[in-house]
Amino acid sequence: QVQLVESGGGLVQAGGSLRLSCAASGIIFGIKSMGWYRQPPGKQRELVADITSGDTTTYADSVKGRFTISRDNAKNTVYLQMNSLKSEDTAVYVCNAQISIGNYWGRGTQVTVSS
Protein backbone atom coordinates (compact mmCIF):
# COMPACT_ATOMS: atom_id res chain seq x y z
CA GLN A 1 0.00 0.00 0.00
CA VAL A 2 1.44 3.36 -1.07
CA GLN A 3 1.19 6.16 1.49
CA LEU A 4 2.19 9.82 1.33
CA VAL A 5 2.49 11.63 4.64
CA GLU A 6 2.88 15.40 4.71
CA SER A 7 4.24 17.51 7.53
CA GLY A 8 5.38 21.07 8.16
CA GLY A 9 2.24 23.10 7.66
CA GLY A 10 1.03 25.71 10.11
CA LEU A 11 0.34 29.36 10.75
CA VAL A 12 2.89 31.97 9.72
CA GLN A 13 2.92 35.73 9.25
CA ALA A 14 3.23 37.24 5.83
CA GLY A 15 6.86 37.38 4.78
CA GLY A 16 7.72 34.31 6.80
CA SER A 17 8.85 30.85 5.77
CA LEU A 18 7.73 27.26 6.10
CA ARG A 19 9.16 23.97 4.92
CA LEU A 20 6.85 21.16 3.94
CA SER A 21 7.91 17.52 3.77
CA CYS A 22 6.25 14.54 2.15
CA ALA A 23 7.48 11.04 2.82
CA ALA A 24 6.37 8.21 0.58
CA SER A 25 6.24 4.69 1.93
CA GLY A 26 5.36 1.34 0.51
CA ILE A 27 7.21 2.15 -2.71
CA ILE A 28 10.15 0.09 -3.81
CA PHE A 29 10.93 1.77 -7.13
CA GLY A 30 9.41 3.59 -10.09
CA ILE A 31 8.73 7.11 -8.85
CA LYS A 32 8.47 9.32 -11.93
CA SER A 33 7.82 12.58 -10.17
CA MET A 34 6.72 14.03 -6.86
CA GLY A 35 5.13 17.36 -6.28
CA TRP A 36 2.91 19.69 -4.36
CA TYR A 37 -0.53 20.96 -5.19
CA ARG A 38 -2.65 23.35 -3.18
CA GLN A 39 -6.31 24.13 -2.80
CA PRO A 40 -7.15 27.60 -1.52
CA PRO A 41 -10.52 28.08 0.19
CA GLY A 42 -13.31 27.97 -2.36
CA LYS A 43 -10.97 27.36 -5.28
CA GLN A 44 -9.79 24.44 -7.36
CA ARG A 45 -6.66 22.47 -6.71
CA GLU A 46 -3.61 23.84 -8.53
CA LEU A 47 -0.05 22.74 -9.14
CA VAL A 48 2.50 24.50 -6.97
CA ALA A 49 5.68 22.66 -7.97
CA ASP A 50 6.90 19.26 -8.99
CA ILE A 51 10.21 17.51 -9.55
CA THR A 52 10.95 14.53 -11.75
CA SER A 53 13.26 11.63 -11.06
CA GLY A 54 15.78 13.47 -13.24
CA ASP A 55 15.45 16.59 -11.07
CA THR A 56 13.58 18.64 -13.63
CA THR A 57 11.43 21.13 -11.76
CA THR A 58 8.23 22.97 -12.63
CA TYR A 59 6.76 25.87 -10.69
CA ALA A 60 3.54 27.80 -10.80
CA ASP A 61 4.20 31.38 -11.90
CA SER A 62 2.79 32.66 -8.61
CA VAL A 63 5.53 30.95 -6.57
CA LYS A 64 8.58 31.26 -8.80
CA GLY A 65 11.47 32.85 -6.94
CA ARG A 66 9.85 32.22 -3.56
CA PHE A 67 9.36 28.45 -3.35
CA THR A 68 11.93 25.71 -3.93
CA ILE A 69 11.15 22.03 -4.39
CA SER A 70 13.73 19.35 -3.73
CA ARG A 71 13.79 15.62 -3.16
CA ASP A 72 15.78 12.93 -1.41
CA ASN A 73 15.50 9.88 -3.61
CA ALA A 74 17.02 7.59 -1.00
CA LYS A 75 14.27 8.55 1.45
CA ASN A 76 11.46 8.88 -1.13
CA THR A 77 10.85 12.31 0.33
CA VAL A 78 10.04 15.62 -1.33
CA TYR A 79 10.38 19.01 0.29
CA LEU A 80 8.89 22.41 -0.42
CA GLN A 81 10.73 25.39 1.00
CA MET A 82 8.37 28.35 1.01
CA ASN A 83 9.79 31.83 1.58
CA SER A 84 8.28 35.31 1.45
CA LEU A 85 4.87 33.85 2.09
CA LYS A 86 1.80 35.86 1.17
CA SER A 87 -1.78 35.69 2.37
CA GLU A 88 -2.76 34.29 -1.02
CA ASP A 89 -0.55 31.26 -0.33
CA THR A 90 -3.08 30.15 2.29
CA ALA A 91 -4.33 26.73 1.26
CA VAL A 92 -4.30 23.03 1.95
CA TYR A 93 -1.08 21.73 0.43
CA VAL A 94 -1.28 18.19 -0.90
CA CYS A 95 1.59 15.93 -1.89
CA ASN A 96 1.45 13.96 -5.12
CA ALA A 97 3.54 11.07 -6.41
CA GLN A 98 3.37 9.72 -9.94
CA ILE A 99 4.59 6.17 -9.84
CA SER A 100 4.76 3.46 -12.46
CA ILE A 101 1.83 1.74 -10.77
CA GLY A 102 -0.37 4.80 -10.38
CA ASN A 103 -0.93 8.36 -9.19
CA TYR A 104 -1.08 8.90 -5.42
CA TRP A 105 -2.10 11.72 -3.11
CA GLY A 106 -1.50 12.60 0.50
CA ARG A 107 -4.18 13.90 2.85
CA GLY A 108 -2.84 17.43 2.85
CA THR A 109 -1.46 19.90 5.34
CA GLN A 110 -2.90 23.33 6.09
CA VAL A 111 -0.79 26.42 5.49
CA THR A 112 -2.24 29.67 6.78
CA VAL A 113 -0.50 32.99 6.16
CA SER A 114 -1.73 35.91 8.23
CA SER A 115 -1.41 39.42 6.87
Side-chain angles (χ1 to χ4, degrees), residues 49-91:
D50 68 15
I51 182 167
T52 69
S53 57
D55 288 336
T56 298
T57 56
T58 301
Y59 293 94
D61 288 342
S62 59
V63 307
K64 284 180 180 178
R66 300 188 298 123
F67 291 11
T68 302
I69 191 169
S70 60
R71 64 187 287 175
D72 184 333
N73 291 330
K75 296 180 179 180
N76 287 335
T77 300
V78 64
Y79 306 96
L80 185 68
Q81 178 67 44
M82 305 186 294
N83 299 328
S84 302
L85 283 161
K86 305 175 181 179
S87 57
E88 51 262 45
D89 295 317
T90 294

Side-chain angles (χ1 to χ4, degrees), residues 14-72:
S17 299
L18 283 175
R19 188 191 194 211
L20 305 183
S21 299
C22 172
S25 61
I27 303 168
I28 299 174
F29 60 90
I31 297 178
K32 298 178 181 179
S33 68
M34 294 185 73
W36 291 93
Y37 288 69
R38 67 185 181 187
Q39 187 161 13
K43 296 184 179 180
Q44 291 186 331
R45 184 176 291 184
E46 61 183 9
L47 173 69
V48 177
D50 68 15
I51 182 167
T52 69
S53 57
D55 288 336
T56 298
T57 56
T58 301
Y59 293 94
D61 288 342
S62 59
V63 307
K64 284 180 180 178
R66 300 188 298 123
F67 291 11
T68 302
I69 191 169
S70 60
R71 64 187 287 175
D72 184 333

